[in-house]
Amino acid sequence: MAQSLKIVNRSTNPFEGQKPGTSGLRKKVKIFKQENYTENFIQCTLNAMGDKLNGSFLAVGGDGRYYVKEAVLKIIQMCAANKVKKLLVAQDGIMSTPAVSGLIRKKGCDGGIILTASHNPGGENEDFGIKFNIANGGPAPDGVTNRIHELSNSIKEYRICPELSCDISRPGVTDYLVEGEPFRVEVVDSVEDYLELMKGIFDFPALRQHVTGGFKLLINCMHGVTGPYAKRIFVEELGAPAESVVNGVPLEDFGGHHPDPNLTYAADLVEAMKEGDCDLGAAFDGDGDRNMILGRKAFFVCPSDSLAVLANHLECIPYFKTSGVKGYARSMPTAGAVDRVAASTGKSIYETPTGWKYFGNLMDAGMLSLCGEESFGTGSDHIREKDGIWAVLAWLSVLANQKMSVEDILGQHWRKFGRNFFTRYDYENCDSAPCNQMISELETAIASGSMKDKSFSSGGKTYTVAKIDNFEYVDPVDASVASKQGIRILFADGSRIVLRLSGTGSSGATVRVYIDSYEKDHDKILLPAQEVLQPLISIALQVCRIKEFTGRDAPTVIT
Ligand code: G1P
Ligand code: ZN
């Protein structure tokens, strides 16, 4: 007999700053825990669905961080009270962001809520996040997130079924009656559907043969959501030894670490790769959408190069043989390595603003198959999120097919296409006001035309400005415009400096400086990246007056 539940309307007041950033709303756990804070945002997210909310079918999952379980229960109680008809809930609330995207698409959901602050630290004193994905499985576009923010400024009440209880620790279906109307919760296995999706994309028997034939993997899940996926896929399905997966248990505080797969925060993977004899190393972020790829002896694959190499070898992956390669895309700050592959294969290449949400329209319109960001994001149109595990399976497919090491693949690539040397400097947790001032002074310089044709010299190299702007993107599918997406200083030789403020932080400002310098001279392509980039780095720091505005002598993280 279904539990019969009452809907309670609770009055509330708006909270300031419930504005989703590059990827959802991210704040400290303490902020989300304030009375009504989480409820307000969920109600506004549901209300932003408009007419589609009544009778809708939604999915919910999270990265396992602190506060996910409480938030899942609130979402179930509020969906019940808001006339959602059916809710798919990940077992224990744990499901990677790419897996939720895949689930929404596979089951035909009207959308989904993902509880994650991605690569930000977790725990009682750290970050939490809520993000809404639409029916195509991708992050809600600006129109929807702006609507959520607008609603949050005037919310007066939310609806909830406080008596509803639900055991999410086991897969299964529970039916409820909410003031006479049926409401169903289906708890689903976190890995099953995703595994099936991957099996349809890659040649698992060939990959298994490669892995069991002596190819050694080291997968570091950084105590994020990917542990159960990595164990199931790399160990159980592909036959890697159990010790190939480390930090594979999802923890609410990610073991006290910053779950971001880069050379700084995944230093333990770097060390283990340096000391050991593994052929391919990889790490993922908290919610499993980012990836870092390393070769033998910790040879680092710059994410912009990773995208370009995959673009050049897509024929190694059965999915692309069937679906064809429709085009590539990269976010604006991502180095232009993939552009050169596009030029050689004759495919289209799109340059979008930072954030995965801009790729979705192109994919839905059949214009885009493979895309990536310099921030360790790689993915394809199999879903509408970037996908860490997918990226490792893609690399594994290339390596199994080419029978070459990661380093040799890169060497071959650079000899053919030239090399885009790339680095990113992050200045985290700065004061917002001077950082905004820095951007507006650069905008003033752009408007005055004073930078045009100007030359800068450093370390024996001279760069002449060809163009400087604040990047604006016009979506080729729906003509929507995203302006002020980052200051770009484009030089005559194709090198670039990009400066923008992060949209994912939970407080203060993070300044990101991106440097992309192209070399096609075979004598230079194997030089250490920092050496080649040093002149342009000095120019960037000087032109933007980083020290003056941030008060910092050095960045917090260099990638
Ligand atoms: C950062 C990355 C961006 C990525 C986003 C979500 O955003 O730079 O490429 O899509 O995280 O993972 P930012 O903090 O720069 O706004
Ligand atoms: Zn993430």
Side-chain angles (χ1 to χ4, degrees), residues 22-23 26 118-119 289-290 331 354-356 373-375 386 424 500-505 512 514:
T22 310
S23 189
R26 294 189 194 168
S118 186
H119 50 287
D289 54 0
R290 294 185 171 197
S331 64
T354 296
W356 210 260
E373 294 192 275
E374 50 65 43
S375 53
K386 55 192 178 242
R424 184 176 106 181
R500 59 180 283 280
L501 300 183
S502 154
T504 55
R512 303 201 196 284
Y514 310 77

Side-chain angles (χ1 to χ4, degrees), residues 23 26 63 65 97-98 116-120 131 259-261 284-290 375-376 385-386:
S23 189
R26 294 189 194 168
D63 63 11
R65 70 179 57 227
T97 294
T116 175
S118 186
H119 50 287
N120 297 12
K131 115 176 186 176
D260 200 2
F284 311 109
D285 72 334
D287 64 328
D289 54 0
R290 294 185 171 197
S375 53
F376 297 85
E385 292 276 5
K386 55 192 178 242

Side-chain angles (χ1 to χ4, degrees), residues 298-331:
F299 176 86
F300 174 66
V301 181
C302 167
S304 306
D305 281 339
S306 174
L307 173 64
V309 167
L310 293 181
N312 193 38
H313 289 287
L314 285 182
E315 76 289 346
C316 303
I317 301 170
Y319 174 86
F320 296 102
K321 273 196 212 144
T322 321
S323 70
V325 178
K326 294 155 191 153
Y328 318 112
R330 62 168 171 82
S331 64

Side-chain angles (χ1 to χ4, degrees), residues 254-273:
F254 307 112
H257 298 297
H258 210 121
D260 200 2
N262 57 40
L263 295 172
T264 306
Y265 295 125
D268 55 342
L269 175 72
V270 176
E271 266 323 293
M273 288 297 292

